[in-house]
């Protein structure tokens, strides 16, 4: 399984949170909280990616930033 850079950063961040909560909670509870936090962030990011993909649709014009409709930009390709 190949990890991306942001995946490794998420794992390291969750480990830091776990180590920080171990001073207040038992290690077992800190581990459970860290695992739940990891999966909650993964679900949130996945849903957000799908929402962005639905909003964009066919893409965005590089020149003006409008949504592309029928493979044409409404502003730039109006002529």
């Amino acid at each position: 399984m190949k990890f991306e850079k942001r995946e490794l950063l998420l794992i390291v961040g969750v480990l830091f949170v776990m180590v920080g909560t171990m001073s207040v909670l038992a290690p077992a509870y800190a581990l459970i909280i860290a695992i739940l936090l990891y999966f909650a962030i993964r679900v949130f990011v996945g849903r957000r990616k799908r929402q962005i993909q639905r909003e964009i649709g066919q893409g965005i014009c590089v020149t003006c930033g409008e949504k592309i409709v029928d493979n044409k930009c409404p502003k730039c390709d109006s002529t």
Side-chain angles (χ1 to χ4, degrees):
M1 184 162 84
K2 181 180 175 189
F3 287 107
E4 294 181 16
K5 184 177 180 180
R6 62 178 171 222
E7 186 75 23
L8 292 175
L9 289 173
L10 176 61
I11 291 171
V12 170
V14 168
L15 286 176
F16 281 142
V17 168
M18 184 180 79
V19 169
T21 56
M22 285 174 72
S23 65
V24 179
L25 300 172
Y29 292 128
L31 180 65
I32 291 170
I33 290 171
I35 291 171
L36 290 175
L37 183 65
Y38 173 78
F39 285 111
I41 291 173
R42 290 284 310 257
V43 168
F44 177 77
V45 169
R47 287 183 180 174
R48 185 72 180 143
K49 277 185 178 180
R50 277 189 271 134
Q51 180 184 7
I52 289 171
Q53 190 63 27
R54 273 191 309 236
E55 289 175 3
I56 292 176
Q58 294 179 350
I60 296 176
C61 178
V62 178
T63 307
C64 67
E66 282 289 316
K67 288 184 188 179
I68 294 177
V69 180
D70 296 330
N71 294 328
K72 293 184 179 181
C73 175
K75 289 184 177 179
C76 299
D77 294 337
S78 62
T79 58

